[in-house]
Amino acid sequence: MISLSVLGVELAYWQVTSLRVLGVLLAVVLPAGAFVYLFLFKMMSFMQSRLGPMEAGPFGSMQLLAEVGKFLQKEDIVPERADRRLFFIAPYIVLASTFLLFSVMPFGPDVYFTNLDTGIFLALGLSSVSVIGILIAGWASANKYSLIGGIRAAGQLIAYELPMVLAVVGVVIQAGTLNLQGIVAAQHQGEIFGFSGIGNPFLLTQFVAFGVFLVATQAELTQTPFDMPVAESEIVTGYMTEYSGLRFLLFFIGEFATAGAFAALAATLFLGGWALPFVSLDDNAMNFIGPLVLFAKILMVGFLIFWARFTFPRFREDQLQAFAWKYLIPIALINILVTMILKVAF
Amino acid sequence: MAEDTATASAEAPEIVVDERREELRAVFVAHLGDAVLDSVIKPGDGLWIRVATDAWAEAGRVAQDKADCKYFDFLSAIDWLPSPYGRYEDSALDVPFPPPMPERSAAVPGYAGGESRLQVLASVAKTGTDLRVLLKVDVPDDDPRLATWIRTYAGAAWHERETHEMFGISFDGNADMRNLYLPSEFEGYPLRKEFPLLARVVKPWPGIIDVEPMPGDDEPSEGEGTEE
Amino acid sequence: MTLTDAQQLGYINAQAADGRVNVELETDDGMVLNMGPQHPATHGTLRLVARLDGEQVTSADVMCGYMHRGYEKLCEVRSYPQVTTLVNRIDWLGSFANEVPFILAAEQLMEVEAPPRAQWIRTLLFELSRIANVSLFIGDLALQLGAQTPAFYAFRDREFVLNQIESVTGGRFHPNFDRIGGLKDDLPKGWIAETKAAMVRLRAFCDEMEGLVYGNEIFQSRTRGVGVIPAAIAQSYGLSGANLRGSGVDWDLRRDANVGLVYDQLDWKVWTHPDGDSYSRCWVRLQEVREATKIVDQICDGLPSGAIMAKVPRIIKVPAGEAYIATENPLGQMGYYVVSKGDTGPFRVKIRSASFNNISIAPWLLRGVYVPDIITILASLYFILGDIDR
Amino acid sequence: MVAQNVFFYLLAGIILFSAFRVVTSNNVVHAALYLVAVLAAVAAEYVLLAAEFVAATQVLVYIGAIIVLFLFGIMLTRAKLGSDQDLTHPHWALSAATAVVMFGVMGYALVDQFHWTATPLPADTRLVSVDGSNSATVSDSVFTAYLVPFEVVSVLLLAALVGAIVLARKD
């Protein structure tokens, strides 16, 4: 209801609800599609001195649709000894977690689905739900590679939940709120030594947290160098091994949509969210520009995520755990400490 | 081809005696004594030594410890019996299947002689040099078994497995005699000469119908490759 | 022919039964993980059965034979010139190098020597196949460890070498170019300059890989100290090539037992690494690519003129005798033990391929490592299925 | 408030059904997943009661951590596909009786406290105000009135953590 006040019309509840459903679909699919086309197809290809898809549409831009069409046509194979019901449910759980992540994301002063006091807290909680989907997928496939992949994923996601939360705590302390809108506002209205042109994006003060958050994001998304749950040269795409057709597509969309969601979180927490630096427009204008600004920032963060993905080899499982517990968590804790001291001092 | 030690230099008088290989052979003779049945040296190229069947394991130990040939190269076998199928160059219609086995006496061993039809051949080498010993041993016809080398050369395990499945030679002490290549139910020993090459039996070789001309063969002058 | 049909049927049935042997999901002590015969890490059809305790391997068994083509048997019914076609397919990434030792063994038995120019070009092509083979290894190694991009760089730059091989031999993968007594053809026009340009690219590729892959800290932490082979073990298993030199054994047949090739007239270096771990094996291979580009450059500069074919009879009959020639191939030592009985074809050929020995150490080496290290170790041992199974 | 009532009963039904299936399911993993459904539905009930902080905590702690660890442990140790026959404990009747007694005690306590009176919801259930939000209220009470219990619980958790490490380490 609130999100629609900008148009100056009162809509019925069901109309608002259906608009929201449309909006969240757009919010999930658009970054996911953009990531796949821009980064997976094109950027990766250029980095690897090749062109990437070129046939479907101008510069292969329709390749994505072709891929979706291909997956929809494929047979949906279920292994004989699989737990059929759980096998079917698993991708939806992963996808649901991704969709729910966007429910707390602010896209503009009035453009959001919900504006909860505990927005970031809920987002982190919801992101951990996807682990269950992955575990179920790994277990229900009745495949050892899948099981290993699922267990690796669970261990990894649990381990990296912690540095991620701790990295966010620094931001929360500085902003003084758990509300994502409040965090955006704190960055937008803040100033650096009296200069308020670009506000105070927490990237500048919380760069350590940003680094930890990005690394943890990389791990949460199971992207290289933390992709051992889906390592194709070891355990043959892990928990996704037995999936095909539509259900594989759901996992695939889930992977990139979650990348989009985490990039959006990072953009909101550290890059100022939907707010535009240097200019100060009224709320109504920002309601339209804000989503685009956020989208641009999502692409920036996505670029970093995928750049690392295409460059690095992957860690080993124990090295990954050691990295989380020995480096990331202490660094994040020190960051919290320093932030607290500075917060109290100034 | 069996040459005696004494005649090796006489056979090739224009080449000087290969002292390094002579020394290497002397090590084997010194430690194995009469078990060294025969040996051949091709100067500058190779050393073949045939040892007695029951001295096979000892020969491995001598090679490793005394002769300092720590490098295990390969282990295989040779079936000296001529193939009853010939070279499959004739049309299958002319040859009865299966053809009669050749006489046992038709098995003529190569370098360093030998009495048995099957001979095991192993190569060990001295790293950092071109010195290499090709050890041969006769395997009894009626009971093809031999001592294993895996306690001296760990790498021999797979080679003995391969030799077992290809020639039917057992190696005492090597417990792992599973087939390496072939299905476990496979019958017969493919590299023995009596084993038919099934592909050629099913579809006979058309014979040598085209011979590629050598470069310059059709030119009157000696063929020279020229970079244009 | 009823016997043959029955035999064939039995063979097929037995093979199918073997294929059906699949490991059950639950086992009593630990989990049995069956990798292969279709698994990306085995690049081919190798099967690895690992018994796991958690992510740790308690024992591992390698099963090969899915690509066994019976070359030793086939060689017995081929004439000498025909054998090169077969042996091309053993190590299919460095095909020309497979032909050389066999041809040299046959030449030794016939007491024929190739003219100098042929020897030089042989050495040249030999090193080019080494570069084509090992540069792909470097890319593939990175791919096995999860980095996608270096593989594409490897394919990109290897293409230059393949082009050069193709323009001489007419075949990118299976040249079948070596002949008893020399070579089939001479080099085409302008080839020398192109090759030297390609070598410059390859050296740049090596530098790039050294920075992108070998210098990467994740790569180092994945490979250093993983799969350590002491020198004595390496020798008793008969490892060869970079696997042996990576364990600090300074032995290269090109330098120490050079037969029929011109390495003794060139200025190059044998690289060794004392550590014996996965990293050292990979590092030695990278240096060998570098060294090979230098060798190629030197050969391009010093190529003598003259004939490329010695006088050999039209139908080749090799005198009776035995010869064993091994050369330092891209994968390691490759040797042919040729027994001749004075016929048009060999009486028995024992193919001593490098990968067979190299992979036979895997059960020893994989004990106690973690599942991801299986990949590292297999990749660093660098085998080619055709070279194991022959 | 009709919609809220409808959703309350819907969620309550899900909770009851899933809770029943948790104890009757023949497969450990299925049972754990029904537990997820119970906890998720409880979280949804919290949201319905405008307590989104508690709901988020419920999701983060119970679903995101505890159940994942459950599943993790089950799959590492006895991840059998298909149904198990020996899952029913011989003393299940005793456990059921205990559960009924527990339910009775809790129900009695609630009834005794509130006497079947409906507590009215706040007039405005929209959760927009940053200041004076209920999460702020929660944190205020945790760090003032309930500071000592809060810290004691932390120490207890720390002790449990240390104990777990001591038990898990072999050397």
Side-chain angles (χ1 to χ4, degrees), chain D:
Chain D
M1 289 303 120
V2 175
Q4 273 193 345
N5 284 344
V6 169
F7 276 103
F8 174 82
Y9 287 116
L10 200 65
L11 291 168
I14 292 175
I15 293 174
L16 283 179
F17 172 75
S18 305
F20 182 71
R21 290 296 289 153
V22 170
V23 286
T24 54
S25 177
N26 269 336
N27 187 310
V28 200
V29 175
H30 286 187
L33 291 173
Y34 277 117
L35 195 55
V36 172
V38 172
L39 296 169
V42 169
E45 294 276 25
Y46 289 143
V47 171
L48 221 53
L49 292 169
E52 88 276 0
F53 178 75
V54 189
T57 315
Q58 172 88 4
V59 171
L60 187 70
V61 174
Y62 282 97
I63 301 179
I66 292 184
I67 291 293
V68 168
L69 280 180
F70 261 35
L71 284 170
F72 198 59
I74 292 169
M75 287 178 191
L76 271 181
T77 50
R78 42 176 304 166
K80 255 181 97 170
L81 282 170
S83 56
D84 266 344
Q85 295 308 318
D86 57 340
L87 275 182
T88 311
H89 198 270
H91 301 309
W92 67 271
L94 206 62
S95 319
T98 317
V100 168
V101 169
M102 282 289 288
F103 181 74
V105 168
M106 280 164 68
Y108 175 77
L110 280 175
V111 170
D112 193 47
Q113 182 76 26
F114 296 103
H115 300 290
W116 298 107
T117 50
T119 311
L121 282 167
D124 185 10
T125 52
R126 295 209 317 245
L127 319 157
V128 275
S129 62
V130 175
D131 301 310
S133 68
N134 54 11
S135 56
T137 320
V138 169
S139 64
D140 280 350
S141 54
V142 162
F143 285 103
T144 51
Y146 299 102
L147 181 62
V148 176
F150 179 77
E151 292 299 330
V152 168
V153 168
S154 335
V155 173
L156 183 74
L157 284 175
L158 185 68
L161 211 66
V162 173
I165 293 172
V166 168
L167 284 178
R169 280 188 77 103
K170 284 170 188 153
D171 45 311

Side-chain angles (χ1 to χ4, degrees), chain C residues 2 52 54 81 119 121 133 149 151 162-163 174 179 185 233 238 251 256 270 290 298 304 311 316 321 370 385:
Chain C
T2 49
L52 302 184
Q119 289 188 11
I121 296 176
N133 184 324
T149 308
L162 287 184
N163 285 343
H174 301 304
R179 297 285 182 273
D185 272 317
I233 299 284
W251 192 31
D256 297 319
V270 176
R290 282 222 176 97
Q298 289 177 43
K311 191 75 185 157
I316 288 167
Y370 292 101
L385 249 294

Side-chain angles (χ1 to χ4, degrees), chain C residues 125 128 158-172 187-199 296 300:
Chain C
L125 288 171
L128 280 182
R158 175 172 169 265
E159 199 64 23
F160 295 104
V161 180
L162 287 184
N163 285 343
Q164 293 314 102
I165 293 177
E166 186 187 8
S167 57
V168 183
T169 65
R172 284 157 56 84
L187 302 177
K189 186 180 176 185
W191 192 83
I192 299 278
E194 282 172 22
T195 308
K196 291 182 83 166
M199 289 307 112
V296 169
C300 285

Side-chain angles (χ1 to χ4, degrees), chain B residues 4-10 12 15-30 36 39-49 67 131-133:
Chain B
D4 200 21
T5 320
T7 60
S9 53
I15 303 172
V16 288
V17 176
D18 190 337
E19 282 174 17
R20 288 155 64 234
R21 288 190 173 76
E22 295 280 0
E23 273 173 32
L24 201 57
R25 177 170 61 187
V27 173
F28 280 91
V29 173
V36 176
S39 64
V40 171
I41 289 180
K42 270 211 250 173
D45 177 45
L47 164 64
W48 280 261
I49 293 176
L131 288 178
R132 170 190 312 280
V133 187

Side-chain angles (χ1 to χ4, degrees), chain C residues 71 75 83-91 98-99 336 351:
Chain C
Y71 278 173
C75 284
V83 168
T84 52
T85 325
L86 284 182
V87 299
N88 253 307
R89 270 90 179 156
I90 290 178
D91 161 18
N98 298 329
E99 304 171 13
Y336 292 87
I351 303 170

Side-chain angles (χ1 to χ4, degrees), chain A:
Chain A
M1 279 168 276
I2 304 155
S3 61
L4 262 287
S5 68
V6 52
L7 295 175
V9 284
E10 272 305 316
L11 294 172
Y13 188 81
W14 67 270
Q15 287 169 318
V16 176
T17 307
S18 32
L19 271 176
R20 283 181 173 177
V21 168
L22 206 67
V24 82
L25 270 176
L26 213 65
V28 170
V29 171
L30 214 63
F35 276 14
V36 172
Y37 174 70
L38 277 180
F39 298 137
L40 188 70
F41 286 170
K42 282 301 173 184
M43 186 182 92
M44 179 169 88
S45 303
F46 290 156
M47 281 182 171
Q48 294 170 348
S49 57
R50 58 196 175 94
L51 286 173
M54 289 296 281
E55 294 297 324
F59 300 101
S61 50
M62 295 293 113
Q63 182 71 26
L64 199 57
L65 296 179
E67 299 274 348
V68 170
K70 179 191 77 176
F71 277 120
L72 289 178
Q73 288 172 31
K74 284 195 171 181
E75 189 189 349
D76 191 6
I77 303 166
V78 184
E80 196 181 318
R81 293 182 58 194
D83 193 320
R84 289 182 77 90
R85 267 186 299 164
L86 295 184
F87 189 77
F88 288 153
I89 290 172
Y92 293 104
I93 295 179
V94 175
L95 211 58
S97 154
T98 310
F99 271 87
L100 284 172
L101 266 181
F102 278 97
S103 65
V104 292
M105 209 70 70
F107 299 96
D110 298 316
V111 188
Y112 48 76
F113 302 106
T114 56
N115 183 19
L116 295 177
D117 284 340
T118 51
I120 181 65
F121 189 54
L122 189 66
L124 292 171
L126 290 171
S127 75
S128 63
V129 173
S130 67
V131 183
I132 292 184
I134 290 172
L135 264 176
I136 293 176
W139 180 77
S141 298
N143 180 320
K144 287 179 193 177
Y145 292 117
S146 300
L147 186 63
I148 293 180
I151 286 175
R152 280 184 182 187
Q156 171 174 338
L157 298 193
I158 291 171
Y160 277 82
E161 197 98 309
L162 205 51
M164 178 174 264
V165 172
L166 292 176
V168 171
V169 168
V171 170
V172 170
I173 291 173
Q174 206 181 348
T177 175
L178 286 168
N179 186 318
L180 282 166
Q181 282 287 28
I183 291 172
V184 171
Q187 295 181 73
H188 189 49
Q189 287 149 16
E191 50 188 30
I192 310 159
F193 302 118
F195 171 68
S196 62
I198 58 168
N200 181 17
F202 290 152
L203 176 64
L204 300 177
T205 47
Q206 292 290 330
F207 54 91
V208 178
F210 183 62
V212 173
F213 189 86
L214 270 192
V215 173
T217 301
Q218 200 85 5
E220 289 274 314
L221 296 172
T222 63
Q223 304 277 23
T224 326
F226 304 104
D227 65 335
M228 39 310 242
V230 291
E232 71 281 353
S233 61
E234 293 169 25
I235 51 173
V236 223
T237 64
Y239 57 86
M240 292 193 278
T241 305
E242 296 289 356
Y243 282 90
S244 59
L246 174 67
R247 274 163 234 288
F248 181 80
L249 181 69
L250 290 179
F251 267 125
F252 191 77
I253 293 175
E255 181 185 347
F256 285 91
T258 318
F262 276 102
L265 263 186
T268 307
L269 291 173
F270 297 98
L271 302 181
W274 47 261
L276 205 57
F278 294 116
V279 282
S280 204
L281 295 167
D282 66 334
D283 279 3
N284 237 344
M286 280 318 288
N287 278 335
F288 291 100
I289 300 172
L292 299 177
V293 173
L294 184 68
F295 188 61
K297 289 176 178 173
I298 287 176
L299 289 185
M300 280 196 262
V301 178
F303 174 77
L304 291 178
I305 292 174
F306 284 91
W307 189 13
R309 171 184 170 148
F310 303 137
T311 308
F312 288 117
R314 78 172 68 84
F315 275 110
R316 208 169 55 208
E317 195 66 16
D318 55 327
Q319 291 167 341
L320 163 118
Q321 297 287 351
F323 187 63
W325 294 99
K326 283 187 181 164
Y327 299 100
L328 286 184
I329 291 176
I331 289 174
L333 284 174
I334 291 168
N335 179 53
I336 291 174
L337 197 69
V338 172
T339 311
M340 280 197 306
I341 292 169
L342 290 177
K343 176 89 176 174
V344 173
F346 296 102

